[in-house]
Each structure stands twice: as C-alpha cells, then as structure tokens.
C-alpha cells in the first residue's frame, strides 16, 4: 500500500546511482516499495529502522557485531523494510553468507552497492525521485478532494459523488446512506445494469445480514462477492462523524486493481460524503420543523390556523384548488428498540423513520403522484394530491396501492419494525381536511388487525359508527358491561376466553373450526363457552346477547388501538 508513495526496488535499481550495483539475494522481493532512505552508521541504528525504508550501510558496520548477521534480515523483514544495501570493503570484507541465505529465505532484497558510487549521490538521487512521487501524490489527492468538494458546493448530491468516485477510481462503487436510508452508485455500464442486477442486492443483503445501521463497522474491511460467477474483492469503508456511522462506501475490484491512492480517495470521499449528509440533515431538520407546523395548522379545525397554513402553502407546493387524500403511517415496534453502542433508542427510531420517509418518497415518485410528506409526533403524514380530472374512487385505489407498497417495503427492510397505515376519504374542500385526517387516524388505529394491508376508512364498516368521538363514554360503559369481565379474568388467570370468543365470531360458531384455529380439543371449546357464560353472563344462544358480545369485541379493538388516548 506504499507503492504510490515511493518506488519499488526494481525501479530503484534502474536509476543511475544503482545501475552498477546488484541484487545478490532476496530477488523474490524486488517489488517491495521504498518510501524513504536510512543510512546506518552502526548496528544500533537497526532499532530505529521503520517500514518502507531502504537501509544503507557498510559491511564494516556489521563486522563490528558478527552475531548480528544471523537475525538481521529477519528483523528487517518483520519491520517491513524495503531492502538492505551494503557497501563492501572489497575481497577482504565479503558479505556474510548467513546474510545472503537469510535474504533468500525471506525474499528480502540484499543489494551490493558499487564501492565507487558515493552514498551522497545515492541518497540525493533516490530521495529526489521519492519526494517527487510523494509530491505528485499529494497534489493528486488535493485535486481529488477539490473535485469532490466542488460537486457538493455546486449542489451535487450523493449520486454525483458516486459518479465522481467511479471516474477517479475506475471501479464500481455504491454509497449507502445510513441516515436517510437508500443507496446510490455508479458502475459505468449502460443504464447501471450491473448495479441493478447485482451490486444493489449485495448491499441490501449485507445490511440485512449484518444490520449495518446498528452493528456499526468502524474500520475498513475487505471481503469477496460472487458477481456473475466471478469472485471479486470488495472494500467496505465507513462514513463516520464523531464515532457515529453515517453510512458506508462499497468498492468492488472489477475493472482494475485497487491501489493505495484508491484507499486514500475513499478516505477523502468519506469526509466529503459525511459533509453532504450533514448538510442534508440540517436542511431536513429545518424543512421538517416548518412542514410539521404547516401540517398542524392545515389539519386543524381552527380556521385561523388553517389560514396560516394557506399563507405558507406555496413553500410546500400546496394548492387550495386541488383535492387531497390523507394517509397516516404509524411505525410499530418502537418499544422493542434497545440502545445500541453510541445510539439511543430514540436516535435509532429516528433513523428508521427517515428511511421509511425516503421509501415513501421513492414509491410516490414511481407512481407518478404528487404528495406532501411530513411528520406529526411519531407518525408520518402523507397528503396525496390530485387534480379535478380524477374521481374519488380512483384516488381511493391509488392511496391503497401506495400504502400496500409502503408496508411491503418496510417488511423487506426491517425484521422488528412494521407499519400500520390508515387512509381517509378523499377531500376536495381543503377546509375539511381535518376530517380526512381523523378518518385516516381511526383506520390506522384499526390497521393492526389487517395484515399487510393499508386500511381505508370506507373499509372499517361498523367501526365508522363506533369510532365517533361523541359516544366514547357510552362505548366504555358498554365494554365494561359486556367484555371487560372476560378481559380481566384472562389477565388475572392467564386464560384464553377472549380469544375463544373472537374465534366464535370468526367461524360463525362452528365448534370444529374453532378448535382447529385455537389448536385445542373440541370438548375444551365447549367447556370454555360455558365458562364465558358463567363469568360474563354472555349467552351465545341468545341473538341479543350474541350481538352485544360481538359489538363489545369491536369496542375492545378500538380501545386497544387508542391506548391511553381513548
């Protein structure tokens, strides 16, 4: 990894100062890299030798310590020096045979210098060549840094940075954003066919297996991937700010070898990408604050607050003339998130939410729809916009399709997190958007019972009546007089009478099907039904009592969905 910082022993031997010298042993390591020179006057200087050095000395210096020759090469090899160059005293002071054998054993170049070439000529000339190369490297890295910074300063994003990195390094690259979610890349192929067919899947699977967003990898790692039947080296480089992981850069060695300058380019790019993400975070936080305030006002019943929203609507591409459908995305499983390393549960949840918002935005774009997406408490609000040419039924189908795709996207990304989505009725009078919001909220609270499906307000049936705000007290009283005793009994004794009652209505009282769904015996179900009558006075043979019990179950679902807010 020192190659771009110096020259190989092979290259050095071709320069004028060393043309008349020769490698007498260790020629297998002739491509070791010389990054600096070190002249050793006596054997004590060995302790100060360092990686990448060409150590220059005389056989006289070694003669003062005869036993040194036995382990000298091993010691220099362990320190990763480039080579040892000796100036002999002629036939009277030949190079020790142990030294030669050891050099061959470790493939450590041992150079016999021409006695007629002064040390000063060797050091000045080689140092000049190394300095020029290092200067060129510094200038090139500065140029790369300037080019990357110019991308950011001229308004470019992560995709533009990925393109610049591909042009600089010459290998396929993917940038994975840990803050907002998603990834971009460049592979040089028509329509990014390699990225879409292989590389994005590799990145997605890497995150799924190693959970990169939480199990932070904080140092460069190398591994291999099977790409179209070919084993390819892959480099993973973290994007970090104050020990926090903002993302990763994936680089594949497909088109050319990855060299030292490429690693340095990744290091430089990491800082620039972090700067771009920080910029996006700052803009996002400001936009979110204003958008949250806009949505609070817009979805309020208060006309004064609505007017404030109307005044600022142009900032969010909002128009009073268009109709809107309100969708609410509630992120479930927040309580299951535990603190991890440097991140609090709240910070991890914020990352989840940012990632989901990014997914929603991408889905809406692919649907060729327009929408305002914002946050309200721990939920995500979507206002799907439509013009006068589209009818209510069409917008209902569009909202359902978007909602179902969001649920599917979250299921694919996260194992412990899922979303519940409620959809309000389409609203053409913007003064009444608060109604669509309330409808979406009611549908969302019931959405947990509808697996993998976004729930529209029109789909909730009798719940539209039961979820009316003005009958809350009556609902609670009805629940307490019907289902509540069974709930309390189940909690106190760990029984399953509520589950049995639900199964009764789901299977229209068919005992055999109930037993199958509850994984219990036919007679056990009969026993439970008798106990339900004893505990709660619910007689399922009576039509009126049966109806009351079914309504009580539905009220229980509303109360559970609202939690402490009911």
């Amino acid at each position: 990894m020192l190659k771009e910082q110096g020259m190989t022993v092979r290259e050095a031997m071709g320069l004028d100062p060393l043309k008349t010298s020769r490698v007498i042993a260790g020629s297998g390591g002739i491509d070791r890299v010389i990054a600096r020179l070190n002249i050793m006057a006596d054997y004590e200087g060995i302790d100060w030798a360092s990686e990448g050095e060409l150590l220059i000395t005389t056989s006289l210096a070694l003669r003062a310590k005869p036993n040194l020759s036995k382990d000298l090469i091993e010691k220099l090899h362990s320190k990763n020096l480039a080579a040892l160059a000796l100036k002999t005293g002629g036939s009277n002071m030949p190079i020790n045979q142990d030294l030669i054998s050891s050099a061959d054993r470790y493939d450590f170049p041992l150079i016999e210098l021409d006695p007629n070439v002064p040390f000063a000529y060797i050091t000045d000339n080689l140092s000049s060549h190394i300095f020029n190369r290092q200067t060129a490297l510094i200038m090139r890295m500065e140029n790369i840094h300037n080019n990357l910074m110019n991308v950011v300063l001229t308004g470019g994003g992560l995709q533009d940075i990925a393109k610049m990195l591909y042009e600089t390094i010459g290998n396929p690259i993917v940038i994975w954003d840990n803050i907002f979610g998603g990834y971009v890349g460049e592979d040089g192929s028509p329509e990014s066919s390699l990225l879409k067919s292989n590389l994005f899947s590799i990145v997605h699977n890497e995150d799924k297996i190693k959970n990169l967003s939480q199990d932070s990898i904080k140092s460069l790692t190398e591994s291999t991937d099977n790409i179209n039947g070919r084993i390819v080296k892959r480099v993973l480089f973290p994007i970090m700010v104050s020990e926090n992981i903002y993302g990763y850069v994936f680089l594949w060695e497909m088109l050319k070898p990855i060299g030292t300058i490429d690693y340095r380019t990744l290091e430089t790019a990491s800082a620039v990408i972090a700067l771009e993400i920080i910029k996006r975070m700052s803009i996002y936080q400001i936009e979110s604050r204003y958008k949250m305030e806009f949505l609070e006002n817009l979805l309020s019943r208060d006309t004064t607050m609505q007017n404030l929203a109307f005044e600022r609507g142009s900032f969010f591409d909002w128009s009073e003339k268009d109709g809107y459908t309100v969708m609410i995305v509630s992120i479930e499983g927040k309580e299951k998130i535990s603190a991890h390393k440097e991140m609090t549960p709240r910070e991890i949840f914020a990352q989840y939410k940012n990632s989901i918002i990014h997914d929603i935005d991408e889905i809406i774009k692919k649907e060729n729809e327009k929408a305002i997406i914002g946050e309200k408490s721990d939920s995500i609000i979507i206002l799907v916009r439509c013009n006068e040419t589209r009818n209510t039924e069409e917008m209902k189908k569009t909202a359902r399709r978007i909602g179902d795709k969001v649920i599917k996207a979250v299921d694919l990304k996260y194992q412990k997190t899922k979303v519940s989505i409620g959809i309000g009725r389409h609203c053409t009078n913007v003064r009444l958007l608060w109604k669509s919001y309330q409808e979406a909220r009611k549908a969302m609270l019931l959405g947990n019972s509808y697996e993998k499906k976004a729930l529209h307000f029109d789909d909730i049936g009798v719940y539209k009546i039961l979820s009316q705000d003005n009958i809350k007290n009556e609902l609670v009283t009805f629940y307490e007089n019907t289902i509540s005793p069974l709930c309390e009994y189940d909690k106190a004794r760990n029984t399953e009478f509520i589950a049995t009652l639900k199964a009764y209505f789901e299977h229209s009282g068919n005992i055999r099907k109930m037993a199958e769904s509850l994984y219990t015996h036919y007679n056990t179900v009969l026993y439970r039904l008798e106990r339900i009558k004893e505990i709660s006075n619910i007689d399922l043979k009576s039509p009126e009592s049966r109806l009351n019990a079914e309504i009580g179950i539905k009220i229980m679902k509303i109360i559970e969905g609202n939690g402490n807010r009911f």
Side-chain angles (χ1 to χ4, degrees), residues 178-179 211 213-215 331 334 336-355 414 417:
N178 189 31
I179 302 300
N211 200 8
S213 58
Q214 293 187 50
D215 296 328
I331 305 173
K334 177 184 172 185
K336 297 178 183 177
I337 299 173
S338 56
H340 187 88
K341 297 184 179 178
E342 293 81 12
M343 299 178 69
T344 65
R346 188 71 195 174
E347 289 171 333
I348 296 172
F349 179 74
Q351 282 195 359
Y352 283 171
K353 188 159 61 172
N354 288 340
S355 180
Y414 304 110
T417 304

Side-chain angles (χ1 to χ4, degrees), residues 213-321:
S213 58
Q214 293 187 50
D215 296 328
S216 305
I217 298 173
K218 295 191 173 181
S219 60
L220 181 149
T221 60
E222 296 180 349
S223 56
T224 58
D225 292 313
N226 188 328
I227 301 176
N228 296 330
R230 174 185 166 195
I231 303 301
V232 178
K233 174 182 174 181
R234 183 236 293 167
V235 174
L236 178 67
F237 199 96
I239 303 164
M240 295 177 59
V241 178
S242 300
E243 293 299 308
N244 292 320
I245 296 293
Y246 278 28
Y248 294 92
V249 179
F250 291 76
L251 174 66
W252 287 269
E253 192 177 59
M254 292 195 67
L255 305 177
K256 55 182 285 193
I258 298 174
T260 303
I261 198 163
D262 298 325
Y263 288 99
R264 290 203 170 191
T265 299
L266 290 180
E267 188 176 356
T268 299
S270 172
V272 176
I273 294 168
L275 180 64
E276 168 62 16
I277 293 175
I278 289 171
K279 183 186 78 174
R280 288 178 62 195
M281 287 171 62
S282 300
I283 294 171
Y284 177 78
Q285 287 169 359
I286 294 170
E287 286 182 346
S288 294
R289 190 164 61 247
Y290 282 106
K291 196 176 287 185
M292 191 182 300
E293 185 178 322
F294 168 74
L295 289 173
E296 288 280 358
N297 291 335
L298 184 64
L299 301 175
S300 169
R301 300 188 189 193
D302 189 287
T303 54
T304 303
M305 294 180 71
Q306 289 178 358
N307 289 335
L308 286 174
F310 296 168
E311 290 173 7
R312 300 174 182 175
S314 59
F315 293 109
F316 305 101
D317 192 26
W318 181 84
S319 171
E320 294 181 51
K321 298 178 181 179

Side-chain angles (χ1 to χ4, degrees), residues 43 112 119 205 276 293 444 490:
Y43 72 92
E112 183 179 16
F119 276 178
N205 291 334
E276 168 62 16
E293 185 178 322
M444 178 268 294
D490 276 353

Side-chain angles (χ1 to χ4, degrees), residues 409-429:
V410 173
D411 282 346
L412 285 173
K413 264 192 178 181
Y414 304 110
Q415 289 77 47
K416 296 181 180 179
T417 304
K418 66 175 184 175
V419 294
S420 176
I421 299 179
I423 306 167
R425 285 183 286 203
H426 187 64
C427 184
T428 54
N429 182 350

Side-chain angles (χ1 to χ4, degrees), residues 49-264:
S50 59
E51 180 181 5
E53 285 185 348
L54 169 62
L55 188 62
I56 303 172
T57 188
T58 66
S59 56
L60 183 62
L62 299 182
R63 195 177 183 185
K65 194 78 172 177
N67 293 332
L68 185 64
S69 300
K70 294 179 180 179
D71 60 359
L72 174 62
I73 297 297
E74 181 182 359
K75 194 168 186 179
L76 298 181
H77 171 74
S78 67
K79 285 176 167 284
N80 290 321
L81 268 72
L84 173 64
L86 289 175
K87 183 175 283 192
T88 67
S91 58
N92 295 328
M93 257 190 291
I95 295 177
N96 189 299
Q97 188 59 44
D98 288 340
L99 212 59
I100 294 173
S101 299
S102 185
D104 282 332
R105 184 164 61 252
Y106 290 103
D107 284 331
F108 188 86
L110 181 60
I111 303 169
E112 183 179 16
L113 296 174
D114 184 341
N116 297 316
V117 179
F119 276 178
Y121 180 54
I122 295 172
T123 55
D124 288 351
N125 195 289
L126 266 60
S127 294
S128 178
H129 276 81
I130 293 170
F131 176 78
N132 289 339
R133 288 201 176 189
Q134 291 175 346
T135 301
L137 175 63
I138 291 170
M139 291 178 67
R140 186 176 176 190
M141 290 310 305
E142 185 178 358
N143 186 48
I144 290 171
H145 177 267
N146 290 339
N147 288 339
L148 289 169
M149 285 299 297
N150 189 53
V151 169
V152 175
L153 294 174
T154 53
L158 295 183
Q159 180 62 60
D160 301 292
I161 293 175
K163 184 178 180 181
M164 175 65 69
L165 285 174
Y166 172 78
E167 292 172 354
T168 302
I169 296 175
N171 275 308
I173 198 153
V174 169
I175 300 172
W176 186 71
D177 182 351
N178 189 31
I179 302 300
F180 293 94
Y183 27 78
V184 297
E186 182 65 49
D187 63 6
S189 64
E191 299 181 355
S192 299
S193 57
L194 183 61
L195 287 172
K196 294 174 182 177
S197 64
N198 289 98
L199 304 187
F200 283 155
S201 295
I202 289 171
V203 173
H204 174 74
N205 291 334
E206 187 79 1
D207 178 36
K208 199 168 184 179
I209 295 169
K210 297 184 178 178
N211 200 8
L212 295 176
S213 58
Q214 293 187 50
D215 296 328
S216 305
I217 298 173
K218 295 191 173 181
S219 60
L220 181 149
T221 60
E222 296 180 349
S223 56
T224 58
D225 292 313
N226 188 328
I227 301 176
N228 296 330
R230 174 185 166 195
I231 303 301
V232 178
K233 174 182 174 181
R234 183 236 293 167
V235 174
L236 178 67
F237 199 96
I239 303 164
M240 295 177 59
V241 178
S242 300
E243 293 299 308
N244 292 320
I245 296 293
Y246 278 28
Y248 294 92
V249 179
F250 291 76
L251 174 66
W252 287 269
E253 192 177 59
M254 292 195 67
L255 305 177
K256 55 182 285 193
I258 298 174
T260 303
I261 198 163
D262 298 325
Y263 288 99
R264 290 203 170 191

Side-chain angles (χ1 to χ4, degrees), residues 242-520:
S242 300
E243 293 299 308
N244 292 320
I245 296 293
Y246 278 28
Y248 294 92
V249 179
F250 291 76
L251 174 66
W252 287 269
E253 192 177 59
M254 292 195 67
L255 305 177
K256 55 182 285 193
I258 298 174
T260 303
I261 198 163
D262 298 325
Y263 288 99
R264 290 203 170 191
T265 299
L266 290 180
E267 188 176 356
T268 299
S270 172
V272 176
I273 294 168
L275 180 64
E276 168 62 16
I277 293 175
I278 289 171
K279 183 186 78 174
R280 288 178 62 195
M281 287 171 62
S282 300
I283 294 171
Y284 177 78
Q285 287 169 359
I286 294 170
E287 286 182 346
S288 294
R289 190 164 61 247
Y290 282 106
K291 196 176 287 185
M292 191 182 300
E293 185 178 322
F294 168 74
L295 289 173
E296 288 280 358
N297 291 335
L298 184 64
L299 301 175
S300 169
R301 300 188 189 193
D302 189 287
T303 54
T304 303
M305 294 180 71
Q306 289 178 358
N307 289 335
L308 286 174
F310 296 168
E311 290 173 7
R312 300 174 182 175
S314 59
F315 293 109
F316 305 101
D317 192 26
W318 181 84
S319 171
E320 294 181 51
K321 298 178 181 179
D322 292 325
Y324 292 88
T325 297
V326 180
M327 301 176 65
I328 300 178
V329 181
S330 174
I331 305 173
E332 310 295 333
K334 177 184 172 185
E335 67 284 349
K336 297 178 183 177
I337 299 173
S338 56
H340 187 88
K341 297 184 179 178
E342 293 81 12
M343 299 178 69
T344 65
R346 188 71 195 174
E347 289 171 333
I348 296 172
F349 179 74
Q351 282 195 359
Y352 283 171
K353 188 159 61 172
N354 288 340
S355 180
I356 292 169
I357 289 173
H358 176 272
D359 290 337
I360 294 170
D361 188 51
E362 289 297 311
I363 288 167
I364 289 173
K365 285 177 182 175
K366 288 178 181 177
E367 289 285 323
N368 293 317
E369 299 292 340
K370 290 185 177 180
I372 298 172
I373 307 169
E375 301 175 41
K376 197 173 188 292
S377 299
D378 288 335
S379 299
I380 300 168
I381 308 296
I382 310 171
L383 297 183
V384 185
R385 177 178 176 180
C386 104
N387 53 38
E388 298 174 357
T389 62
R390 299 167 72 182
N391 59 43
T392 300
E393 196 60 34
E394 186 180 353
M395 284 307 299
K396 187 189 295 186
K397 291 179 180 178
T398 298
R400 282 179 177 145
R401 188 168 61 250
I402 290 171
D404 290 343
K405 287 186 177 182
V406 171
I407 290 172
K408 184 177 179 181
V410 173
D411 282 346
L412 285 173
K413 264 192 178 181
Y414 304 110
Q415 289 77 47
K416 296 181 180 179
T417 304
K418 66 175 184 175
V419 294
S420 176
I421 299 179
I423 306 167
R425 285 183 286 203
H426 187 64
C427 184
T428 54
N429 182 350
V430 292
R431 291 284 182 184
L432 299 178
L433 270 175
W434 63 269
K435 282 189 175 181
S436 183
Y437 170 73
Q438 292 296 333
E439 291 167 354
R441 181 175 173 275
K442 290 170 183 176
M444 178 268 294
L445 292 172
L446 292 167
N448 289 334
S449 303
Y450 294 78
E451 300 240 344
K452 316 279 185 189
K453 182 181 175 184
L455 191 60
H456 193 282
F457 184 70
D458 287 344
D459 299 330
I460 66 176
V462 71
Y463 288 106
K464 284 191 280 189
I465 298 172
L466 297 178
S467 60
Q468 297 295 318
D469 292 336
N470 59 348
I471 60 170
K472 281 184 179 180
N473 293 334
E474 287 82 358
L475 291 178
V476 171
T477 301
F478 192 93
Y479 165 76
E480 289 174 347
N481 292 333
T482 53
I483 301 300
S484 183
L486 282 178
C487 291
E488 296 302 319
Y489 194 96
D490 276 353
K491 288 178 184 177
R493 294 169 175 80
N494 198 27
T495 51
E496 296 183 346
F497 292 122
I498 288 294
T500 302
L501 196 57
K502 285 181 180 179
Y504 179 88
F505 293 116
E506 286 171 6
H507 298 289
S508 302
N510 187 310
I511 306 299
R512 182 179 58 80
K513 289 183 178 179
M514 287 174 63
E516 290 175 358
S517 68
L518 294 169
Y519 300 101
T520 190

